[in-house]
Amino acid sequence: MVNDTTFKKKDALVVFSGGQDSTTCLFWARERFRSVEAMSFAYGQRHRVELESASQICKKFGFAHRELPLSGFAELGGNALMAQMPVEGKGPLGLPNTFVPGRNLIFLTYAAAYGYQKGIHDIVTGVCETDFSGYPDCRADTMIALERTLQLGIEIPVKIHTPLMNLSKKETVELARDVGALEALAFTHTCYEGQFPPCGECPACRLRAKGFLDAGVVDPLLARSHSI
Amino acid sequence: MVNDTTFKKKDALVVFSGGQDSTTCLFWARERFRSVEAMSFAYGQRHRVELESASQICKKFGFAHRELPLSGFAELGGNALMAQMPVEGKGPLGLPNTFVPGRNLIFLTYAAAYGYQKGIHDIVTGVCETDFSGYPDCRADTMIALERTLQLGIEIPVKIHTPLMNLSKKETVELARDVGALEALAFTHTCYEGQFPPCGECPACRLRAKGFLDAGVVDPLLARSHSI
């Protein structure tokens, strides 16, 4: 792992869902930047519990946190992460019906716009190409194109950091351990069904379990589930 | 003017503010595409009258119209087109304080996301580099980068059409005349002060007046103002 100290004079804004990946990014950023702020989006997601996780983690672990309401997606409607649809099946063009078109593009553009006003030009996102579930807005080529668009369109030297882009789920768990994020992962939300203890059966739960298994680490979320 | 018939089998979505430029685009698109839909954004803009213009024009001239509420910008706050600030002065980095950072990027990304669901991949916007007032999200290089980002991030063959990009205000008035938009321009809103009759003094009013003067066309908005 690169022990990069060049960011120590800069501040970072982490796009923060309250899930495993963005929580890992939050602690990754804390190790590297002078200060770290988290930004969550209330976009009409299926499970309000995600936002509660985000808020709880920021409070417990001392991160500044801002929640931005985005009404647009709920109005557009029509996918399984927001409406009352089953999370199986395909949407238009064969993408999973959990695909909210343009979601990460919108989140990162708002983050950059907020950063413009606060003088923060380093944006961190937990998108990952390796396990991207078919979401095209998680891929490296998309992020590179978006970074260029934001640099041109907002006229700021914005940099999009994607520390998980090329990691397997196993490696993401190892990174979480290395940056001291494991304790916080006990409070993250992953389950598509919005359950706590997690359902263990949905694609998101299964992917998470495999990562911890492969890394040989006990998922602190499960430990917490069993303790209640 | 190119009499392009290749779009006749395709549908277009016009990002529609209810102003002079996007109204001209609406009629430009009607000449070229099989069907045209207009999309407006209620983003907390200073003047609700813009949205009323948009709605009125679509009703009078028979365009399908959708208004999408976007709460994010109002939450971010801090510029003269939304808050109660004077429209003179500079924001951060020397851009005019009427700059809403990322605004056109957000509008076009939502339009593309909506288009994804409806199978509409041709998006039309009235951005213009010639009179761009210092807004970096109106420039051709930004639009080209955004188009690529949307193609990658939403996985659709989206095309961003910018018919006014290289036109002077004079040429935009001439185009409006040629595509039959003049009658509709009587109902457009331009004035930054939100007044009707328009104030005639703000930068937006002055730019509009110069365009009509140079083209030798009487502004139908002024004719309408005098008739009441």
Side-chain angles (χ1 to χ4, degrees):
Chain A
M1 211 177 65
V2 182
N3 200 352
D4 194 337
T5 56
T6 58
F7 301 149
K8 280 293 179 196
K9 292 184 179 165
K10 300 171 79 184
D11 307 315
L13 183 63
V14 179
V15 174
F16 188 48
S17 72
Q20 176 188 356
D21 289 349
S22 59
T23 300
T24 303
C25 288
L26 206 55
F27 284 80
W28 176 90
R30 176 175 269 179
E31 282 207 333
R32 279 159 183 77
F33 290 88
R34 181 173 55 191
S35 79
V36 176
E37 189 168 337
M39 177 168 250
S40 302
F41 297 95
Y43 65 97
Q45 52 266 77
R46 194 176 174 93
H47 305 305
R48 176 79 208 171
V49 63
E50 293 179 23
L51 293 168
E52 287 159 12
S53 284
S55 167
Q56 193 178 18
I57 289 166
C58 287
K59 268 191 204 129
K60 272 188 187 288
F61 298 93
F63 292 95
H65 185 221
R66 172 143 196 171
E67 184 183 309
L68 196 69
L70 294 188
S71 51
F73 287 114
E75 290 287 326
L76 287 179
N79 70 76
L81 285 190
M82 292 164 37
Q84 292 309 310
M85 285 167 65
V87 292
E88 301 292 338
K90 299 283 180 186
L93 309 184
L95 284 166
N97 73 351
T98 49
F99 177 55
V100 182
R103 179 169 55 171
N104 282 315
L105 309 181
I106 294 281
F107 291 173
L108 289 161
T109 304
Y110 273 113
Y114 177 71
Y116 167 87
Q117 294 176 342
K118 302 257 294 186
I120 305 175
H121 302 142
D122 289 85
I123 315 286
V124 184
T125 170
V127 295
C128 172
E129 195 167 76
T130 322
D131 290 319
F132 74 94
S133 309
Y135 297 161
D137 58 346
C138 294
R139 289 197 298 246
D141 56 359
T142 303
M143 288 298 119
I144 291 165
L146 177 61
E147 182 177 270
R148 184 73 190 131
T149 302
L150 296 174
Q151 288 168 348
L152 290 168
I154 310 188
E155 276 193 346
I156 46 174
V158 68
K159 169 84 189 143
I160 299 178
H161 300 268
T162 57
L164 313 186
M165 182 58 81
N166 299 305
L167 303 188
S168 67
K169 276 289 165 191
K170 169 178 180 280
E171 291 168 324
T172 297
V173 170
E174 290 165 348
L175 177 62
R177 184 190 58 205
D178 295 345
V179 297
L182 276 190
E183 194 190 337
L185 292 190
F187 302 93
T188 55
H189 178 78
T190 296
C191 178
Y192 274 170
E193 299 300 328
Q195 294 180 15
F196 179 81
C199 78
E201 299 295 332
C202 75
C205 278
R206 284 200 295 253
L207 194 62
R208 176 171 176 143
K210 185 172 184 323
F212 278 93
L213 187 69
D214 291 349
V217 173
V218 174
D219 185 346
L221 174 62
L222 297 185
R224 182 171 152 247
S225 309
H226 292 141
S227 72
I228 60 165
Chain B
M1 208 177 66
V2 182
N3 200 353
D4 195 327
T5 55
T6 58
F7 301 148
K8 281 293 178 196
K9 292 183 180 166
K10 300 171 78 184
D11 307 314
L13 184 63
V14 178
V15 175
F16 187 48
S17 70
Q20 176 187 356
D21 289 349
S22 59
T23 300
T24 303
C25 288
L26 206 55
F27 285 79
W28 175 90
R30 175 174 270 179
E31 282 207 335
R32 279 159 185 75
F33 290 88
R34 180 174 55 190
S35 78
V36 176
E37 190 168 337
M39 176 169 251
S40 302
F41 297 95
Y43 64 98
Q45 53 267 78
R46 195 176 174 94
H47 305 305
R48 176 79 208 169
V49 63
E50 294 178 23
L51 293 168
E52 287 160 13
S53 284
S55 167
Q56 192 178 19
I57 290 166
C58 288
K59 269 192 207 130
K60 271 187 187 288
F61 298 93
F63 292 95
H65 185 221
R66 172 142 193 170
E67 185 183 306
L68 196 69
L70 294 187
S71 51
F73 287 113
E75 291 287 325
L76 287 178
N79 69 75
L81 285 190
M82 293 160 39
Q84 292 309 311
M85 287 167 64
V87 294
E88 300 293 339
K90 299 282 181 187
L93 310 183
L95 285 167
N97 73 350
T98 49
F99 177 52
V100 182
R103 178 170 54 173
N104 281 316
L105 308 181
I106 294 281
F107 291 172
L108 288 161
T109 304
Y110 273 113
Y114 177 70
Y116 167 86
Q117 295 176 342
K118 302 257 293 184
I120 305 175
H121 302 141
D122 290 84
I123 316 286
V124 184
T125 170
V127 295
C128 171
E129 194 167 79
T130 321
D131 289 319
F132 74 95
S133 310
Y135 297 161
D137 60 345
C138 294
R139 290 197 298 244
D141 56 0
T142 304
M143 288 299 118
I144 290 165
L146 177 61
E147 182 177 270
R148 184 73 189 131
T149 301
L150 296 174
Q151 287 167 350
L152 289 167
I154 309 187
E155 277 194 342
I156 47 174
V158 66
K159 170 83 191 145
I160 300 178
H161 299 268
T162 57
L164 313 186
M165 182 58 82
N166 299 306
L167 303 188
S168 66
K169 276 289 168 192
K170 167 178 181 281
E171 291 167 326
T172 297
V173 171
E174 290 165 349
L175 177 62
R177 184 191 57 206
D178 295 345
V179 295
L182 277 189
E183 193 190 341
L185 291 188
F187 302 93
T188 55
H189 177 79
T190 296
C191 178
Y192 274 169
E193 300 299 331
Q195 296 179 14
F196 180 80
C199 78
E201 298 296 331
C202 75
C205 277
R206 284 199 295 253
L207 194 61
R208 176 171 177 143
K210 185 172 183 323
F212 278 93
L213 188 69
D214 290 350
V217 173
V218 174
D219 185 347
L221 174 63
L222 298 185
R224 183 170 151 248
S225 309
H226 292 142
S227 73
I228 61 165

